[in-house]
Amino acid sequence: MNQALLAKIGWRLHSRDNGLWAKIYEAKYLKGTSIFDNSLGARQVCSTTWRSILHGIQLLKQGMCWRVGRGDSVNFWEDKWVTDVPLMQQAGVLTAHNSNCSVSSFSMNGWWDIDKLRGVVREDLVQQIISVPVGFLSSLPDTQVWKALHILRDCERARTTWNAILPAYAHNFFRLDAQPWMKVNMLSKAKWNGDVPWSTVFVFTCWQLWCWRNKHVFQNEDTVPFSPRQVICGAAQEWIKSSSNRTIGENKVQIHVAWEPPKPGQFKLNVDGSRKHVTGCIGAGGVIRDSFGDWVSGFAVNLGKGQVLEAEIWGLFFGLKLAIEKGICNLILRWTQLLQ
């Protein structure tokens, strides 16, 4: 049986499929353990069908990674949660006294304990680690998920969409890893269909695939259109047209910008994010003030490496978290860069 099909069966078991067949395998072989438990095959006398499913699981593992929630179920050193390679196998490790520690053991007050991280890995890895979204104080469990490229490129629907759009010279499109795949296509200077930048078509295709997949998963809608090429190209051309219609050389108007206080009884949260172009390091900060303009509370946080939009989103997260901790409900938010 095809290993990819077997991997899909394994994913359905991991997702707790409600079918009778899944319940039988769960009761007979899994018995409450994870489908990814490495000792499953070694410790069992089992059927040929189950061994075939375990064979598919090996392929499934290659496409899985951890999405960190509380961080109590993810092994800090041995699981793949930062990159495709466990931290234990990376060159930046300084010391690893306890190989069984969880990701949450490196947290402090709901965020990363940066001093503790710097004691075990080099600074470049520290910056990479603290850029990973986490929810240490939340109720969200750690979850194993498909890597993003499965949704955007490698699943059957995505691959069919790309094959309808790709130019004839894109030979290595399906062979590159995630980061070089993104970089090569987003920085491409090639033109698609004569006059449309390929980078624009690439971005719109990724966005449409993401939207279609979410509607399929959360709304149970088979939303991929009959002609995805026409939809994507139409959206890309419309964007280019609207961008080129902007008036060039308009007279500049000087305006005065000032902080506006909220209404009496309300509080205002202002957040902002920043990024150093040379290093790629990002950070965020924010302040909460009352209707008199008096400072109530504030924060500043180092977020590792990433994009400026990520910094802005994390700024919003920490600002709202701070408001909740202070018991502030009547809150006005100003997120300047996102609103512009």
Side-chain angles (χ1 to χ4, degrees), residues 11-313:
W11 172 256
R12 292 175 65 182
L13 285 171
H14 172 68
S15 304
R16 297 292 189 266
D17 191 289
N18 290 324
L20 178 61
W21 68 272
K23 294 178 180 178
I24 293 174
Y25 281 123
E26 169 72 29
K28 183 174 178 60
Y29 295 115
L30 293 179
K31 299 177 181 178
T33 62
S34 169
I35 190 69
F36 300 112
D37 190 328
N38 292 325
S39 63
L40 276 179
R43 71 176 186 228
Q44 293 176 328
V45 176
C46 56
S47 66
T48 302
T49 302
W50 181 247
R51 288 200 177 277
S52 298
I53 294 175
L54 293 179
H55 175 62
I57 292 299
Q58 301 308 311
L59 177 62
L60 182 63
K61 287 180 178 179
Q62 298 176 21
M64 300 291 290
C65 64
W66 280 98
R67 182 175 63 198
V68 181
R70 293 188 299 266
D72 53 356
S73 301
V74 183
N75 187 292
F76 181 83
W77 295 110
E78 297 179 355
D79 284 333
K80 293 186 290 186
W81 60 279
V82 180
T83 65
D84 292 340
V85 180
L87 282 175
M88 183 67 79
Q89 300 177 20
Q90 300 197 31
V93 176
L94 301 177
T95 180
H97 297 299
N98 181 10
S99 61
N100 293 321
C101 63
S102 65
V103 172
S104 61
S105 64
F106 287 85
S107 67
M108 182 175 63
N109 299 326
W111 191 239
W112 295 105
D113 187 339
I114 296 181
D115 290 335
K116 187 174 182 180
L117 288 173
R118 286 172 173 159
V120 295
V121 296
R122 290 193 317 219
E123 185 63 24
D124 57 334
L125 271 183
V126 171
Q127 297 301 316
Q128 197 169 1
I129 289 170
I130 64 178
S131 66
V132 175
V134 291
F136 290 130
L137 295 181
S138 71
S139 60
L140 295 175
D142 303 321
T143 308
Q144 285 186 296
V145 297
W146 279 102
K147 299 174 186 176
L149 276 190
H150 175 78
I151 297 174
L152 298 180
R153 190 190 70 183
D154 295 334
C155 79
E156 183 179 351
R157 294 187 180 195
R159 188 176 286 264
T160 300
T161 301
W162 285 116
N163 283 330
I165 294 174
L166 283 172
Y169 54 78
H171 302 296
N172 295 322
F173 187 83
F174 295 103
R175 300 177 184 175
L176 296 174
D177 291 333
Q179 290 188 357
W181 182 72
M182 286 284 187
K183 185 175 182 179
V184 166
N185 287 282
M186 293 184 71
L187 297 180
S188 173
K189 302 298 183 183
K191 297 291 185 179
W192 182 89
N193 203 26
D195 58 347
V196 180
W198 167 249
S199 58
T200 302
V201 176
F202 174 79
V203 169
F204 272 94
T205 305
C206 289
W207 172 247
Q208 290 289 357
L209 287 169
W210 177 258
C211 292
W212 293 334
R213 174 54 67 97
N214 275 274
K215 287 185 178 180
H216 174 70
V217 172
F218 297 109
Q219 301 176 19
N220 199 27
E221 296 181 8
D222 191 4
T223 56
V224 178
F226 176 76
S227 179
R229 175 189 174 101
Q230 183 177 355
V231 174
I232 292 169
C233 298
Q237 290 172 340
E238 182 66 25
W239 184 86
I240 292 173
K241 181 180 178 181
S242 62
S243 300
S244 62
N245 286 339
R246 294 175 182 174
T247 304
I248 301 175
E250 290 182 340
N251 294 328
K252 295 183 178 180
V253 178
Q254 186 175 5
I255 60 173
H256 296 281
V257 179
W259 183 81
E260 297 180 2
K263 297 178 181 179
Q266 293 183 335
F267 297 84
K268 177 174 281 190
L269 166 64
N270 291 86
V271 296
D272 196 9
S274 63
R275 181 179 186 271
K276 291 185 178 179
H277 179 70
V278 176
T279 63
C281 292
I282 59 175
V287 61
I288 299 177
R289 286 174 283 192
D290 61 20
S291 58
F292 298 101
D294 292 332
W295 185 88
V296 176
S297 190
F299 73 92
V301 61
N302 177 3
L303 298 168
K305 294 184 178 181
Q307 301 301 317
V308 68
L309 183 57
E310 295 176 89
E312 296 281 347
I313 294 173

